[in-house]
Amino acid sequence: MAALEEEYTLSAVPLGCGPDGLLGVEPSDKTDQFLVTDSGRTVILYKVSDQKPLGSWSVKQGQIITCPAVCNFQTGEYIVVHDNKVLRLWNNEDINLDKVFKATLSAEVYRIHSIQGTEPLVLFKEGAVRGLEALLAEPQQKIESIISDEEVIKWTKVFMVFRHPVLIFITEKHGNYFAYVQRFNSRVLSKYTLLLGQDKKSVIQSFTASLDRKFISLKSLSFDGCIYDTLIPIHPNDSEKSQNQKVVRSLLLKTVVSGNARNGVALTVLDQDHVAVLGPPLPASKECLSIWNTKFQTLQISKELPQGTSGQLWYYGENLFMLHGKFLTVIPYKCEVSSLAGALGKLKHNQDPDAHTLPHFVNWETSQGHGLGSQNSEPSKRMLRRRKFEASVQPEVPSATQLLSTIKKDSEKHIEVELRKFLAIKQTPDFHTIIGDIVIGLLERCKTEPLFYPQNSLMQLIQMHVLSYSLCPGLMEVALDKADVQTLQLCLRQFPDIPEAVTCACLKFFLSIGDDSLQETDVNMESVSDCGDAVRDEKMKEQTEILQNGFNSEEYNCHNCDKESSEKPQDTTEKTTSCPVIPKRAALLNAILRSAYSETFLLPHLKDIPAQHITLFLQYLYFLYLKCSENATMTLPGIHPPTLNQIMDWICLLLDANFTVVVMIPEAKKLLLSLYKFVKSQICICSELNKIEVSFRELQKLNQEKNNRELYSIEVLELF
């Protein structure tokens, strides 16, 4: 179920008077503030909740802004490009753009992307991409041409995948469309041809995209009024990296706008199951804003826009931005978790009917600066006094309903404070389901607001020891997207029902994340003890004796083992066996080892892990086995370390799933030989134990005949 609330005008000043409407609406580094770039000479900073501008900057007469202004989240500065090549940097204190920092570039800029977690990226019209810092260090550097002649960029977007940016841009040439995906962690650029099906020359009017696990889900609104979906891999196979692969689009929604609409058409993804569409539903009708459920292919709600639009649509948080007539308009929206009842409009609601128009339970002392208040219209002084009175009589401890309402609109810090109050109250019998609903509420907002991620609040909820994976599905996936190893480690330790696919995804992430990133992360180290220390510096012969649990093949040679196993190998002195991973990575891998799994369901996913990561994990498991062998109890030091059985089970799983791959890697040769010798020695031990099993039984019988023994006796037992 989806809802569109009453719209309100953000600015009384007409905008988008040029032929291209607005150039863009981009978030600032402050909550509830947005940079609006007109298609002429002006950039305006708005605070949405106050419905007023906080600052305005313009370029000189004769100059023209050619791409949207963005905020550098690392420095708080604003960046804009005018006249295609002139880059300007400024902050809130600057007044005149002509006097701020200026850099003239050697090529024309198409777009600047800026998101949390990375430096701004500059996309040039020829397809090349540069980081802002490298560009400012040498503005006149040569910019290579990536796309072919007559190929024009139509749309672009950037995502964060495992803490690394991934940029996609779409080009068009003679009615053919191409997708380029640039991964900055591996510096790999992949090109894909978009196959449009039978109508091979169909004009695509709007693009939007979202992440779908290993793919970018590219949605397009075509001239025929239908929405199509195309899955583009984020990490292609080695054979695909340098080739122009072809991807086929599939029909997602049919005829959502009139097929004759040439202008005023736009598309954007709201969440996993909802899209917003701007355009006339019928040839003779006025333009409408509609929300569609893509999962059940149903129209959820539609709003007529009689003054027309520029065919542009932006969304941030729970607000849609557009030009309605000549004025920038904000329309708040809500999308609930997709269900069949909700898609058909038959979902029962227990909330207050005016919940969309009046925020309840406002705490004015803690909400200053968070933009609380009705976004539908400017409230009267009497209404403000009444709301302030309501806030003063509310109890200090929020109810579950109040907390869920707070989660939808307040800042991370305020949510954390209110959550701490709520968790301090006496628990009710349905406490675990309430906690699950709170987590789902936080995750829904994380999906709609990329900048929102309340890690501290999620950690508080997990540490209540009432959650499971089934109660809060999607939590670990969001933590993986945010590269939150602390939350993932906690989930692995506490959730008993994690799917094997998620466990394997965590393993791949723990093995791939860089040591430098891990050093900056807070990880629970209880399960790790002396990981950085080397196992005793000793010869291979002594290690073999330990592996054989006291059995010395030189004293008693086993006919089941080759003679080589009892002989000293050529490389008699092996280098000190040290932990192959840093302590923090060891703690994360220990969490994987202790998690529950089904061998049948885990094996297929283990085959997707890169061979070098499999080798590293096997080396770590072998190191743990040597540590276990150092004491008679065959256990590891530390609090809740992995057991010997868990270590051995994982070694077997990894070899079963990846042996044919690992055996071809030169780096894994010594490791496999060590494991091979270990297995042979264990077979010898089992063989000898089986031989003396009968003798042990006889000893057990003798031990039971205690009554026949005197106070002192000497017994001689002969074992054959």
Side-chain angles (χ1 to χ4, degrees):
M1 192 67 184
L4 291 172
E5 299 183 5
E6 184 179 350
E7 67 180 83
Y8 58 91
T9 302
L10 191 59
S11 172
V13 179
L15 296 171
C17 298
D20 298 327
L22 290 178
L23 285 183
V25 178
E26 295 288 333
S28 173
D29 59 339
K30 303 290 192 305
T31 305
D32 202 33
Q33 295 182 15
F34 295 87
L35 285 168
V36 178
T37 308
D38 201 359
S39 58
R41 301 167 43 222
T42 309
V43 177
I44 307 174
L45 178 65
Y46 285 101
K47 185 170 183 179
V48 173
S49 58
D50 292 345
Q51 302 176 34
K52 67 177 184 181
L54 301 179
S56 177
W57 302 270
S58 297
V59 295
K60 291 193 307 182
Q61 187 73 30
Q63 297 175 341
I64 183 170
I65 297 176
T66 50
C67 78
V70 298
C71 177
N72 185 344
F73 292 100
Q74 295 181 338
T75 64
E77 295 177 315
Y78 305 128
I79 314 164
V80 75
V81 174
H82 64 82
D83 301 315
N84 292 311
K85 292 185 178 182
V86 183
L87 188 145
R88 299 275 187 175
L89 274 74
W90 80 99
N91 53 41
N92 287 320
E93 289 71 31
D94 295 316
I95 299 175
N96 190 346
L97 280 185
D98 194 42
K99 297 182 179 180
V100 302
F101 177 85
K102 170 185 173 182
T104 302
L105 309 178
S106 62
E108 295 186 354
V109 175
Y110 177 80
R111 180 70 186 272
I112 301 176
H113 286 290
S114 184
I115 57 175
Q116 291 277 11
T118 186
E119 68 168 323
L121 302 172
V122 181
L123 173 63
F124 291 89
K125 289 186 177 180
E126 298 298 325
V129 185
R130 292 288 189 276
L132 180 65
E133 294 300 324
L135 201 58
L136 295 179
E138 190 181 352
Q140 285 296 310
Q141 62 182 274
K142 183 179 180 181
I143 304 300
E144 68 275 12
S145 179
I146 302 299
I147 61 180
S148 61
D149 295 338
E150 301 182 25
E151 202 171 343
V152 180
I153 298 179
K154 291 294 186 180
W155 175 89
T156 177
K157 190 171 183 178
V158 68
F159 302 95
M160 285 296 287
V161 179
F162 294 142
R163 304 184 74 174
H164 295 288
V166 173
L167 186 144
I168 178 174
F169 61 91
I170 306 299
T171 64
E172 184 268 338
K173 179 180 179 181
H174 303 316
N176 298 312
Y177 291 86
F178 307 93
Y180 293 81
V181 179
Q182 173 77 64
R183 284 162 292 279
F184 293 89
N185 60 333
S186 58
R187 299 293 178 184
V188 173
L189 176 67
S190 302
K191 180 180 179 181
Y192 301 89
T193 300
L194 305 182
L195 298 181
L196 306 182
Q198 295 180 353
D199 189 6
K200 295 184 179 180
K201 297 297 181 182
S202 175
V203 177
I204 300 178
Q205 296 179 293
S206 181
F207 290 97
T208 186
S210 60
L211 289 178
D212 185 6
R213 295 181 181 270
K214 298 181 181 180
F215 299 91
I216 295 174
S217 176
L218 178 68
K219 295 177 175 60
S220 56
L221 179 57
S222 291
F223 185 71
D224 58 4
C226 300
I227 297 177
Y228 297 88
D229 189 24
T230 306
L231 293 180
I232 300 175
I234 299 175
H235 302 287
N237 298 327
D238 292 337
S239 60
E240 298 177 357
K241 289 181 180 179
S242 59
Q243 299 179 12
N244 182 5
Q245 297 295 306
K246 296 180 180 180
V247 288
V248 181
R249 67 176 186 174
S250 57
L251 181 63
L252 189 65
L253 289 171
K254 190 174 182 179
T255 319
V256 296
V257 295
S258 171
N260 297 324
R262 295 183 178 272
N263 299 314
V265 176
L267 170 70
T268 188
V269 174
L270 301 180
D271 59 28
Q272 184 179 359
D273 298 322
H274 296 90
V275 294
V277 181
L278 193 63
L282 297 173
S285 64
K286 296 181 179 180
E287 293 180 35
C288 291
L289 174 64
S290 307
I291 296 181
W292 288 78
N293 186 310
T294 57
K295 185 176 182 180
F296 298 106
Q297 299 187 1
T298 55
L299 175 63
Q300 298 295 280
I301 194 168
S302 181
K303 184 182 184 70
E304 191 175 82
L305 303 170
Q307 299 177 32
T309 72
S310 62
Q312 297 168 296
L313 184 63
W314 300 268
Y315 91 99
Y316 297 101
E318 292 186 347
N319 292 318
L320 290 163
F321 297 80
M322 71 189 70
L323 277 178
H324 188 191
K326 292 296 181 181
F327 300 96
L328 182 59
T329 302
V330 180
I331 302 181
Y333 75 93
K334 295 184 182 298
C335 289
E336 298 178 355
V337 179
S338 181
S339 64
L340 183 58
L344 298 176
K346 299 181 179 181
L347 195 64
K348 295 182 179 180
H349 296 275
N350 297 322
Q351 61 185 16
D352 194 76
D354 59 352
H356 293 309
T357 58
L358 181 61
H360 292 258
F361 313 116
V362 180
N363 187 336
W364 292 96
E365 295 180 357
T366 59
S367 300
Q368 293 179 359
H370 297 296
L372 291 177
S374 176
Q375 296 178 342
N376 299 325
S377 61
E378 185 175 354
S380 65
K381 293 182 178 180
R382 183 174 61 182
M383 182 65 73
L384 287 172
R385 288 196 297 270
R386 183 173 75 84
R387 291 165 74 184
K388 190 170 183 179
F389 172 75
E390 287 180 353
S392 64
V393 299
Q394 293 302 323
E396 293 185 1
V397 178
S399 65
T401 305
Q402 290 175 272
L403 185 57
L404 290 172
S405 176
T406 301
I407 287 172
K408 293 180 179 179
K409 61 182 183 297
D410 282 5
S411 66
E412 294 180 17
K413 187 64 179 178
H414 183 53
I415 293 172
E416 185 179 346
V417 172
E418 294 300 303
L419 179 62
R420 194 178 295 116
K421 294 178 184 177
F422 176 78
L423 296 179
I425 64 177
K426 185 178 180 180
Q427 299 184 8
T428 57
D430 61 342
F431 185 71
H432 66 288
T433 58
I434 295 174
I435 296 298
D437 292 339
I438 294 172
V439 174
I440 291 175
L442 290 170
L443 296 179
E444 287 299 319
R445 186 172 172 186
C446 288
K447 295 175 182 177
T448 57
E449 295 185 39
L451 303 183
F452 177 81
Y453 184 64
Q455 182 193 34
N456 292 337
S457 298
L458 291 172
M459 295 283 287
Q460 285 186 65
L461 293 167
I462 298 170
Q463 289 170 347
M464 296 303 294
H465 299 280
V466 297
L467 287 174
S468 62
Y469 184 90
S470 55
L471 268 179
C472 50
L475 171 58
M476 296 186 71
E477 285 82 354
V478 172
L480 280 167
D481 290 338
K482 301 293 182 179
D484 184 2
V485 295
Q486 194 174 5
T487 299
L488 291 172
Q489 184 189 29
L490 196 58
C491 291
L492 286 166
R493 292 174 60 190
Q494 296 196 14
F495 290 179
D497 57 343
I498 301 174
E500 286 73 11
V502 178
T503 301
C504 199
C506 292
L507 174 60
K508 287 194 284 188
F509 174 58
F510 292 163
L511 290 169
S512 62
I513 188 172
D515 288 347
D516 293 339
S517 299
L518 275 179
Q519 294 291 8
E520 302 170 0
T521 307
D522 187 12
V523 176
N524 189 314
M525 303 294 292
E526 287 182 353
S527 65
V528 178
S529 178
D530 300 327
C531 182
D533 296 336
V535 181
R536 298 170 187 171
D537 186 12
E538 56 191 357
K539 297 182 179 180
M540 178 60 76
K541 174 184 174 181
E542 294 171 340
Q543 289 183 355
T544 305
E545 290 174 356
I546 291 177
L547 292 177
Q548 293 175 350
N549 297 325
F551 176 74
N552 190 336
S553 59
E554 291 184 355
E555 295 179 1
Y556 187 56
N557 192 15
C558 172
H559 64 269
N560 288 334
C561 301
D562 294 336
K563 191 174 182 180
E564 296 176 358
S565 65
S566 63
E567 294 177 354
K568 203 172 191 179
Q570 294 178 358
D571 187 14
T572 56
T573 306
E574 190 170 284
K575 65 181 181 179
T576 303
T577 307
S578 59
C579 185
V581 298
I582 63 174
K584 287 189 175 181
R585 194 188 304 276
L588 297 176
L589 294 178
N590 287 351
I592 294 286
L593 295 178
R594 291 183 56 82
S595 62
Y597 63 88
S598 168
E599 180 178 342
T600 303
F601 296 109
L602 184 63
L603 273 173
H605 299 289
L606 290 177
K607 296 179 181 179
D608 297 332
I609 302 178
Q612 62 271 25
H613 293 159
I614 290 292
T615 304
L616 178 63
F617 196 20
L618 281 171
Q619 289 171 343
Y620 175 65
L621 292 171
Y622 184 62
F623 167 81
L624 290 181
Y625 176 77
L626 295 180
K627 293 290 289 184
C628 285
S629 304
E630 289 182 344
N631 55 71
T633 59
M634 298 292 287
T635 58
L636 291 170
I639 302 175
H640 305 302
T643 65
L644 181 62
N645 285 340
Q646 290 169 340
I647 296 169
M648 300 305 299
D649 288 344
W650 271 94
I651 290 177
C652 295
L653 282 170
L654 292 173
L655 291 177
D656 286 345
N658 299 277
F659 183 79
T660 55
V661 177
V662 175
V663 76
M664 303 298 293
I665 302 176
E667 297 81 8
K669 183 177 180 181
K670 289 185 179 180
L671 175 63
L672 292 176
L673 286 174
S674 299
L675 292 173
Y676 171 71
K677 293 173 184 177
F678 159 70
V679 172
K680 288 179 69 175
S681 65
Q682 294 300 307
I683 292 174
C684 277
I685 295 169
C686 292
S687 176
E688 296 304 312
L689 289 176
N690 287 333
K691 291 179 181 179
I692 62 173
E693 183 181 7
V694 177
S695 300
F696 279 126
R697 289 177 183 172
E698 294 299 322
L699 286 174
Q700 192 174 16
K701 292 179 181 179
L702 292 173
N703 198 31
Q704 293 173 355
E705 299 174 1
K706 295 181 180 179
N707 296 333
N708 299 332
R709 298 175 183 172
E710 299 295 336
L711 294 177
Y712 177 80
S713 64
I714 298 176
E715 298 180 13
V716 178
L717 302 176
E718 294 183 4
L719 300 178
F720 297 95

